């Protein structure tokens, strides 16, 4: 059956009509269709299709032709569909406009001054160089940027008076703006240069939670302070903080830098009247003029005291010198009694610096710790998925994250490992970090709580679970709620990593006694 | 050094989550929808070598684009190809795209060659035409080697009339045949008797009438016509309705003054009026004439030719004169005329990509929202398409402008470095030919060049200028 409808003087764009034809052909019962103006071309098509009728032949190019070959009664459906289609307004997507490249972005924001780069390492260096050439500062979140490229970028930046934070820089706070993984930290007069991402998060969070504030957190990336790079960004950061009017106290946080870098850093600190605290995880500075800290929290507390002009009276501080906490000694005794099996501490971390701090403290107090990247190479885990005696793993390391999101974002791996460790006969204590702030999972406590509950439902044994909660009261995850969720799952929550580790050590010691 | 004193303004390249977070804290931030360079990390190494070259590419590109922008394409007359096209001869067939041999030619190009030989009187039918070609007596050469362009198959023979478009700024001339209309036509590989008859009529009536008209009227400023058409919904590649109308306005009074009969005059006007694409064969040589002076600009990475023969897609680069960089012609994403599907389509074909090369066509998509629907898009997508092309071009056109973008100039002068670096390919608007000779146009849509042509050109550029 061939139906022909001619609508006189009903002009539509030919492309719209081609689209309409496609729609109509899709209707059940339609064999072939043509919706178009009555042009010679369209009549030709109809002729070829054997669908040309006297009515369509008589149509003019100002008339709309609707010609359908198909089942009886199909025309009504066709016309309904067509009218709907022609009436249809394409709604504007309202989608945000993104740039396609750095240059495109600069057209949208000509006065940009910072480029945050998180593309794959093999491309990140090139993007960074482009940014530097255009006079922009760079934060390179990406890792796997070759060493030579890092050196080239940083040398170039130095010549241009620009800052390159990273590669592998997870955290920075510049002019109050948190970049990548960073917490909502109060502004203040403490400036930090950190070659340690979660170290910077831990110190800045504790500063903020204790009522202090941060002027800048300059991340450098871990490799910056090694001999090859020579601390180009680390030293530049110190210089900038010295020059910065808003900074009164300078905090340096890093794994031990190369001695040449330490030497230059100390010279810089001595060249200014500004106060300072230095914390090199698993390292010291032998200089009576340099104030050092024992742990990340110690560094944070000392910085706050200095920033408020108060004296430093203790060798090592903890946050619990200022905030209320339980009686840790008796709590440790109680916990030790509850533990029904195992004698080892198992640390399942997501933050690299926090991992190192835990390893350093436990090694000092208890003994060697196994790890994929141990302090003592003799204790390198052959299989990163199988713990041995005391084991601490950083599940944010490449070996764990290949093809997966970071464990601060995706808890799947850590939850599985937590349950596995809980069920392991050797495990007595599980130690965790829970990192809040921008970039991280929006409800990490629930993820951990779920795994703890699962483990406890599968096991009759009791294992002490301890979490270091790294974050501020202003973080988007809601600090108090996160703490409560963990506590309700029977997790002991600490306001700093060092306090959490210290508690794990205390429980272990009680257990041994 | 004053970073700490300024408000932080961030460009985020990579993880979108960081952008979302920055927005949440109220920071000023722009997100880049980043793509790796074309060809990945290997090609990135070539890009890095670019920076070591001694040649000042920026200055060279500026020079090339200055030449393109200062062009003044003008229709100055008409003639038989044999009389004006450089190197034209009786046994030579010009075709679209990069060089190609008979055995590799696609259906529509073969069909057009057959039709061309019949039209030229060198063969009486298909059989004779093929025999002649196989005897080796027929020579083939790209239009681009003879200062001209041809849409779709682009076939031109010695006695075909051509438009002469002069870039009066530089005194160079480009050539193109007249547009035959839609449907079964030579440029889509059709060679039936009615196709040949139409071509003969074009030679015997259309050409003399138009030729005399132009002589009476004097030179016609094509740049002006294109500029106006862009403001009337054309992009002068896939949509030439406004430009064709403007052309008729331009010639009609002089045409009436010609010595031909009213019947012939009416026939000519009706023929042009019935063919929305008549102006395509003027926008193309206008683009070619505009680009020719930029060819050979030492050290320039600006593209001067993009062209397809239905089998290969080729580009030429200002700083690498005489060289073609060739890859497979791509499929066209588009809408099909009733009775046809994707199965019927020939890969991308024709020299009409010269329009995109000069900054109109797909690059002026924002001026022609009507045709973005060819790929099921929206008017917003038309804007986005043009805006995206600014990413890979050197300049904004000072004549061709887009009303919807506040009369911003169209993106002009494709830079192969930017294409490779940003992983953004030029957008091309095009008609779709049936893969069998003799059937004609089956649809229209959008397509892209093959990736390798830009990568190869860039590698060669680095080699030449090292």
């Amino acid at each position: 059956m061939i139906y022909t409808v001619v609508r006189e003087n009903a002009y539509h764009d030919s492309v719209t009509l081609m689209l309409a034809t496609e729609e109509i052909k899709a209707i059940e019962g339609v064999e072939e269709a043509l919706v178009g103006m009555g042009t010679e071309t369209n009549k030709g098509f109809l002729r070829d299709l054997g669908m040309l009728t006297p009515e369509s032949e008589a149509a003019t190019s100002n008339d709309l032709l609707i010609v359908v070959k198909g089942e009886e009664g199909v025309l009504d459906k066709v016309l309904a569909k067509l009218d709907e289609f022609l009436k249809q307004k394409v709604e504007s997507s309202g989608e945000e406009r993104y740039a396609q490249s750095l240059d495109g972005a600069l057209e949208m924001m000509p006065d940009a001054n910072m480029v945050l780069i998180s593309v794959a390492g093999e491309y990140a260096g090139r993007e960074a160089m482009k940014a530097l050439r255009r006079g922009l500062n760079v934060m390179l979140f990406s890792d796997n940027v070759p060493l030579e490229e890092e050196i080239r970028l940083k040398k170039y930046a130095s010549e241009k008076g620009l800052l390159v934070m990273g590669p592998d820089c997870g955290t920075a706070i510049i002019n109050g703006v948190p970049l990548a993984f960073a917490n909502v930290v109060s502004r203040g007069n403490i400036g930090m240069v950190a070659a340690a991402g979660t170290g910077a998060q831990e110190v800045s969070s504790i500063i903020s939670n204790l009522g202090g504030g941060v002027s800048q957190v300059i991340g450098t990336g871990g490799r910056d302070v090694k001999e090859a790079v020579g601390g180009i960004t680390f030293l530049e950061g110190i210089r900038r903080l010295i020059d910065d009017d808003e900074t009164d106290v300078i905090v340096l946080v890093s794994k031990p830098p190369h001695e040449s870098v330490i030497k230059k850093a100390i010279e810089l600190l001595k060249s200014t009247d500004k106060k300072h605290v230095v914390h090199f995880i698993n390292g010291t500075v032998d200089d009576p003029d340099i104030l050092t800290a024992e742990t990340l929290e110690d560094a944070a507390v000392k910085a706050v005291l200095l920033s408020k002009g108060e004296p430093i009276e203790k060798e090592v501080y903890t946050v619990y010198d200022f905030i209320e906490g339980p009686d840790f000694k008796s709590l440790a005794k109680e916990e030790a009694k509850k533990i029904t099996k195992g004698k080892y501490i198992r640390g399942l971390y997501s933050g690299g610096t926090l991992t190192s701090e835990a390893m350093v403290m436990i090694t000092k107090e208890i003994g060697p710790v196994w790890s994929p990247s141990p302090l003592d190479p003799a204790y390198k885990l052959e299989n990163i998925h199988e713990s041995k005696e005391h084991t601490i793993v950083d599940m944010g390391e490449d070996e764990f994250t290949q093809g997966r999101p970071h464990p601060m974002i995706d808890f799947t791996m850590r939850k599985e490992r937590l349950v596995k460790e809980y069920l392991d006969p050797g495990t007595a204590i599980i130690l965790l970090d829970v990192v809040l702030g921008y970039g991280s999972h929006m409800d990490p406590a629930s993820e951990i709580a779920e795994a703890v509950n699962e483990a406890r439902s599968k096991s009759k044994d009791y294992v002490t679970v301890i979490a270091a909660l790294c974050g501020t009261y202003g973080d988007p995850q809601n600090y108090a709620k996160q703490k409560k969720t963990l506590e309700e799952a029977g997790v002991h929550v600490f306001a700093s990593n060092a306090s959490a580790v210290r508690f794990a050590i205390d429980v272990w010691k009680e257990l041994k006694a | 050094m004053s970073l700490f004193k300024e408000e932080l303004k961030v460009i985020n390249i990579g993880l979108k989550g960081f952008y979302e977070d920055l927005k949440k804290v109220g920071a000023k931030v722009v997100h880049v929808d980043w793509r790796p360079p074309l060809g990945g990390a290997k090609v990135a190494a070539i890009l890095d070598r670019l920076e070591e070259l001694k040649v000042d590419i920026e200055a060279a590109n500026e020079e090339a684009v200055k030449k393109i922008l200062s062009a003044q394409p003008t229709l100055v007359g008409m003639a038989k190809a044999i009389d004006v096209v450089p190197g034209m001869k009786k046994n030579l067939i010009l075709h679209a795209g990069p060089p190609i041999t008979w055995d590799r030619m696609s259906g529509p190009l073969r069909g057009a060659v057959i039709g061309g030989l019949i039209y030229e009187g060198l063969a009486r039918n298909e059989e004779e035409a093929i025999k002649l070609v196989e005897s080796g007596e027929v020579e083939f050469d790209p239009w681009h080697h003879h200062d001209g362009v041809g849409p779709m198959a682009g076939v031109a023979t010695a006695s075909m009339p051509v438009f002469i478009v002069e870039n009066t700024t530089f005194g160079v001339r480009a050539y193109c045949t007249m547009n035959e209309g839609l449907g079964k036509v030579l440029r889509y590989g059709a060679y039936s008797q009615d196709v040949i008859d139409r071509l003969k009529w074009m030679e015997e009536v259309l050409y003399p009438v138009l030729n005399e008209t132009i002589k009476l009227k004097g030179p016609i400023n094509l740049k002006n016509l294109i500029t106006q058409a862009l403001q009337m919904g054309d992009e002068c590649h896939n949509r030439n309705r406004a430009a064709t109308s403007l052309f008729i306005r331009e010639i009609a009074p002089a045409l009436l003054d010609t010595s031909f009969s009213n019947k012939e005059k009416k026939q000519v006007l009706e023929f042009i009026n019935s063919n929305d694409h008549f102006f395509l064969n003027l926008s193309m040589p206008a683009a070619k004439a505009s680009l020719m002076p930029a060819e050979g600009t030492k050290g320039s990475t600006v593209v001067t030719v993009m062209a397809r023969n239905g089998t290969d897609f080729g580009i030429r680069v200002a700083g690498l004169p005489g060289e073609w960089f060739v890859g497979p012609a791509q499929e066209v994403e588009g809408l099909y005329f009733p009775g046809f599907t994707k199965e019927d389509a020939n890969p991308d074909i024709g020299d009409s990509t010269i329009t995109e090369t000069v900054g109109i066509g797909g690059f002026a998509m924002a001026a022609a929202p009507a045709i973005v629907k060819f790929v099921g898009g929206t008017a917003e997508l038309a804007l986005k398409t043009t805006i995206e092309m600014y990413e890979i071009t050197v300049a904004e056109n000072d004549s061709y402008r887009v009303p919807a973008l506040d009369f911003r100039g169209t993106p002009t002068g494709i830079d192969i470095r930017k294409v490779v670096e940003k992983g953004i390919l030029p957008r091309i608007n095009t008609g779709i030919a049936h893969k069998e000779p003799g059937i004609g146009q089956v649809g229209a849509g959008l397509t892209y060049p093959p990736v390798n042509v830009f990568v190869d050109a860039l590698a060669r550029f680095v080699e030449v200028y090292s």
Side-chain angles (χ1 to χ4, degrees):
Chain A
M1 188 76 190
I2 293 168
Y3 297 98
T4 303
V5 177
V6 179
R7 290 183 181 168
E8 285 176 25
N9 284 321
Y11 177 79
H12 293 277
D13 188 273
S14 64
V15 185
T16 303
L17 296 177
M18 282 165 79
L19 280 171
T21 306
E22 294 295 317
E23 290 271 318
I24 283 162
K25 277 198 212 164
I27 295 174
E28 216 184 294
V30 173
E31 199 182 308
E32 187 59 80
L34 184 150
V35 181
M37 304 309 293
T39 59
E40 288 310 314
T41 313
N42 282 332
K43 287 180 199 171
F45 286 134
L46 288 173
R47 198 174 292 118
D48 292 349
L49 291 166
M51 286 164 62
L52 191 69
T53 57
E55 301 100 87
S56 48
E57 191 148 26
T60 76
S61 56
N62 286 328
D63 304 334
L64 177 64
L65 270 181
I66 304 150
V67 187
V68 181
K69 189 198 249 178
E71 288 170 9
E72 215 165 311
V74 81
L75 186 66
D76 287 346
K77 278 196 272 180
V78 166
L79 294 179
K81 184 90 197 170
L82 179 67
D83 289 337
E84 185 196 339
F85 184 86
L86 294 177
K87 242 190 288 176
Q88 194 179 72
K89 262 196 196 154
V90 186
E91 276 180 45
S92 155
S93 64
E95 191 187 306
E96 286 173 81
R97 204 162 268 176
Y98 300 131
Q100 303 299 317
S101 67
L102 179 64
D103 288 329
L106 275 171
E107 273 185 33
M108 291 164 75
M109 190 192 272
D111 54 350
N113 47 20
M114 176 68 67
V115 182
L116 171 53
I117 298 169
S118 53
V119 301
E122 55 187 333
Y123 304 113
R126 305 192 59 250
E127 294 296 327
M129 187 49 101
K130 275 195 271 176
L132 292 173
R133 284 186 202 282
R134 286 155 182 75
L136 299 161
N137 299 286
V138 168
M139 171 160 170
L140 259 174
F141 177 84
S142 316
D143 55 6
N144 296 319
V145 175
L147 176 65
E148 319 79 67
E149 199 159 20
E150 175 173 354
I151 295 169
R152 197 158 54 99
L153 289 169
K154 288 183 171 174
K155 285 193 170 154
Y156 184 82
S158 297
E159 283 167 28
K160 290 253 185 159
L162 296 167
L163 202 56
V164 174
M165 299 187 284
D168 205 9
C169 174
T171 303
I173 302 174
I174 302 295
N175 304 349
V177 177
L179 295 166
F181 286 86
N183 304 84
V184 178
V185 174
S186 307
R187 286 209 84 171
N189 59 353
I190 301 169
M192 195 190 323
V193 183
T198 38
Q201 284 193 272
E202 172 87 345
V203 175
S204 61
S205 292
I206 295 172
I207 287 172
S208 189
N209 289 348
L210 290 179
V214 155
S215 54
Q216 308 287 347
V217 176
I218 300 165
T220 69
R223 213 163 48 189
D224 184 79
V225 295
K226 304 270 170 68
E227 187 177 13
V229 187
I232 297 177
T233 303
F234 196 75
L235 299 170
E236 173 67 16
I238 300 172
R239 270 181 233 116
R240 290 201 181 205
L241 291 180
I242 290 172
D243 291 339
D244 178 35
D245 306 338
E246 287 171 46
T247 301
D248 297 324
V249 180
I250 297 169
V251 181
L252 306 183
V253 179
S254 172
K255 287 187 187 173
H258 186 260
E259 50 188 283
S260 63
V261 178
I262 297 182
K263 198 170 153 243
K264 285 178 193 159
I266 288 173
E267 273 169 26
L268 283 171
L269 291 180
K270 284 183 176 177
S271 72
T272 172
D273 294 339
K274 292 187 179 181
K275 294 170 187 140
H276 64 260
V277 189
V278 176
H279 175 52
F280 295 146
I281 298 118
N282 202 23
T284 50
V285 181
D286 279 330
D287 191 313
D289 294 333
I290 297 300
L291 177 66
T292 58
E294 183 75 13
T295 60
L296 294 166
E297 72 175 331
D298 185 32
V301 172
K302 283 172 177 163
V304 173
L305 291 173
L306 291 172
S307 77
K308 294 184 171 170
E310 290 173 26
I312 307 294
E313 286 165 335
K314 280 179 77 174
E315 192 72 24
V316 181
Y317 284 94
T318 106
V319 284
Y320 291 101
D321 293 329
F322 302 88
I323 64 170
E324 212 177 303
D327 173 0
F328 293 119
K329 288 288 163 206
S330 28
L331 189 62
K333 275 198 178 86
E334 255 174 63
E335 276 301 303
K337 270 183 220 156
K338 283 202 235 168
I339 293 170
T340 53
K341 67 166 176 79
K343 49 180 180 174
Y344 299 116
I345 300 174
R346 301 282 158 84
L348 308 177
Y349 275 83
S350 58
T353 321
L354 303 179
T355 311
S356 302
E357 181 169 75
M359 290 202 290
V360 169
M361 289 176 72
I362 292 172
T363 303
K364 213 180 206 175
E365 296 276 332
I366 298 177
V369 174
W370 292 86
S371 171
S373 25
L375 300 177
D376 176 348
Y379 290 87
K380 188 172 169 64
L381 274 184
E382 285 151 37
N383 180 349
I384 59 167
H385 303 291
E386 297 291 337
S387 296
K388 249 191 209 174
E389 299 166 0
H390 298 299
T391 291
I392 295 182
V393 295
D394 170 10
M395 300 189 76
E397 278 195 40
D398 290 353
E399 302 148 281
F400 287 101
T401 56
Q402 249 150 37
R404 296 165 178 275
H406 195 275
M408 283 183 200
I409 298 164
D410 181 353
F411 279 70
T412 318
M413 288 239 327
R414 208 144 70 112
K415 281 159 77 178
E416 282 168 15
R417 183 72 177 252
L418 195 156
V419 174
K420 188 178 161 185
E421 295 292 350
Y422 200 103
L423 300 178
D424 186 308
T427 309
I429 300 161
I430 292 174
L431 187 55
L432 307 158
D433 62 350
V434 176
V435 181
L436 308 182
Y438 286 110
S440 293
H441 191 286
M442 281 317 283
D443 189 8
S446 296
E447 297 282 328
I448 296 292
E450 196 186 304
V452 172
N453 290 334
E454 186 192 332
R456 288 194 169 142
S457 73
K458 281 185 179 166
S459 168
K460 287 197 189 74
D461 288 308
Y462 184 83
V463 170
T464 296
V465 183
I466 301 166
L469 188 55
C470 173
T472 71
Y473 306 141
D475 278 334
Q477 287 89 348
N478 189 341
Y479 188 95
K481 190 168 155 260
Q482 294 294 311
K483 183 165 184 272
K484 192 162 165 254
T485 304
L486 288 166
E487 284 172 348
E488 279 170 0
V491 177
H492 294 284
V493 182
F494 288 83
S496 73
N497 185 52
S499 294
V501 177
R502 208 171 290 120
F503 184 70
I505 293 167
D506 288 348
V507 173
W508 184 83
K509 283 183 175 168
E510 290 294 340
L511 189 66
K512 215 182 160 220
Chain B
M1 283 294 186
S2 59
L3 176 66
F4 295 165
K5 297 272 174 239
E6 297 168 6
E7 183 187 8
L8 196 71
K9 293 191 173 177
V10 186
I11 293 171
N12 183 55
I13 305 179
L15 298 173
K16 206 171 153 203
F18 291 158
Y19 162 75
E20 306 286 353
D21 285 342
L22 284 163
K23 270 205 314 186
K24 269 185 230 154
V25 299
K28 299 261 167 63
V29 59
V30 171
H31 180 64
V32 175
D33 192 8
W34 185 85
R35 269 163 284 189
L38 289 182
K42 250 194 334 210
V43 174
I46 300 173
L47 285 165
D48 287 339
R49 283 192 61 198
L50 270 178
E51 276 153 32
E52 297 153 17
L53 301 183
K54 299 251 171 342
V55 58
D56 186 347
I57 301 173
E58 302 300 333
N61 284 349
E62 215 167 288
E63 188 193 334
V65 164
K66 211 174 139 191
K67 288 179 195 162
I68 297 169
L69 294 182
S70 61
Q72 177 47 68
T74 306
L75 175 60
V76 294
M78 295 187 74
K80 292 282 186 75
I82 187 85
D83 297 328
V84 284
V85 174
M88 193 66 207
K89 48 189 181 181
K90 192 74 183 167
N91 68 333
L92 176 63
I93 290 192
L94 300 179
H95 61 79
I100 188 164
T101 48
W102 171 256
D103 54 307
R104 293 185 65 249
M105 282 182 193
S106 64
L109 182 48
R110 281 185 172 218
V113 167
I114 293 166
L117 291 171
I118 296 170
Y119 167 81
E120 206 57 41
L122 296 171
R124 274 172 301 179
N125 52 39
E126 177 184 339
E127 203 184 328
E128 278 186 29
I130 293 174
K131 226 168 119 186
L132 188 65
V133 168
E134 285 172 350
S135 75
E137 278 172 42
V138 179
E139 290 177 27
F140 298 108
D141 216 11
W143 248 125
H144 278 293
H145 293 182
H146 298 266
D147 297 349
V149 277
M152 302 313 281
V155 159
T157 57
S159 54
M160 282 188 192
V162 293
F163 288 120
I164 304 165
V165 175
E166 181 168 325
N167 177 347
T168 55
T169 316
F170 296 89
V172 296
R173 288 178 167 201
Y175 309 92
C176 187
T177 56
M178 293 181 289
N179 196 291
E180 316 156 70
L182 290 169
K184 284 173 188 159
V185 287
L186 186 78
R187 72 176 188 281
Y188 283 97
Y191 54 84
S192 52
Q193 194 53 48
D194 48 332
V195 174
I196 306 299
D197 290 347
R198 189 190 303 112
L199 288 172
K200 282 291 169 199
W201 175 82
M202 288 167 73
E203 183 186 331
E204 285 154 12
V205 180
L206 181 61
Y207 160 58
V209 173
L210 279 181
N211 192 22
E212 195 180 321
T213 302
I214 296 164
K215 277 186 185 138
L216 287 172
K217 155 84 184 156
I220 296 172
N221 184 333
L222 295 180
K223 197 174 197 176
N224 261 351
L225 288 190
I226 293 169
T227 303
Q228 290 175 58
L230 288 182
Q231 300 186 11
M232 296 165 73
D234 281 358
E235 38 71 277
C236 294
H237 181 172
N238 243 4
R239 194 177 196 273
N240 284 287
R241 173 173 289 197
T244 300
S245 308
L246 289 171
F247 182 70
I248 292 172
R249 271 180 58 166
E250 203 68 25
I251 61 165
L255 187 137
L256 295 180
D257 286 340
T258 57
S259 57
F260 296 90
S261 72
N262 277 345
K263 190 179 161 223
E264 286 166 323
K265 291 174 189 171
K266 186 160 179 258
Q267 269 182 351
V268 165
L269 280 174
E270 263 175 357
F271 181 81
I272 300 172
N273 189 41
S274 68
N275 176 12
D276 283 345
H277 280 297
F278 191 82
F279 191 80
L280 176 65
N281 291 38
L282 287 163
S283 67
M284 285 175 58
K288 177 65 180 169
S290 301
L291 288 157
M292 280 163 64
E295 288 170 8
T297 307
K298 206 170 172 339
S300 168
T301 52
V302 167
V303 176
T304 52
V305 171
M306 293 199 288
R308 317 86 97 199
N309 57 32
T311 305
D312 311 307
F313 190 117
I315 65 165
R316 307 181 96 174
V317 176
L320 300 168
E323 296 193 48
W324 285 98
F325 302 93
V326 173
Q330 305 291 296
E331 278 185 10
V332 182
E333 283 297 320
L335 284 178
Y336 290 86
F337 295 148
F340 299 106
T341 69
K342 208 171 174 175
E343 304 304 309
D344 302 312
N346 194 74
D348 196 16
I349 183 167
D351 281 336
S352 52
T353 31
I354 198 72
T355 56
E356 278 83 12
T357 316
V358 88
I360 54 177
F363 283 45
M365 189 63 128
I371 59 165
V372 78
K373 290 191 180 168
F374 273 121
V375 283
T378 60
E380 195 176 328
L381 191 63
L383 295 179
K384 273 190 176 171
T385 299
T386 292
I387 288 168
E388 193 178 52
M389 293 302 102
Y390 289 112
E391 297 275 355
I392 56 167
T393 45
V394 177
E396 295 183 12
N397 208 291
D398 52 3
S399 300
Y400 306 144
R401 293 171 189 277
V402 179
L405 294 175
D406 285 333
F407 295 91
R408 189 174 176 187
T410 62
T412 304
I414 302 164
D415 184 345
I416 56 169
R417 293 177 307 167
K418 293 184 177 181
V419 171
V420 173
E421 172 94 56
K422 299 183 182 181
I424 300 172
L425 288 167
R427 283 264 209 156
I428 293 164
N429 292 352
T430 194
I432 307 170
H434 198 287
K435 64 184 175 190
E436 301 299 334
I439 297 176
Q441 187 176 6
V442 294
L446 291 188
T447 188
Y448 300 93
V451 165
N452 77 290
V453 296
F454 295 98
V455 174
D456 293 350
L458 196 70
R460 176 73 180 143
F461 187 90
V462 169
E463 191 187 328
V464 167
Y465 287 94
S466 287

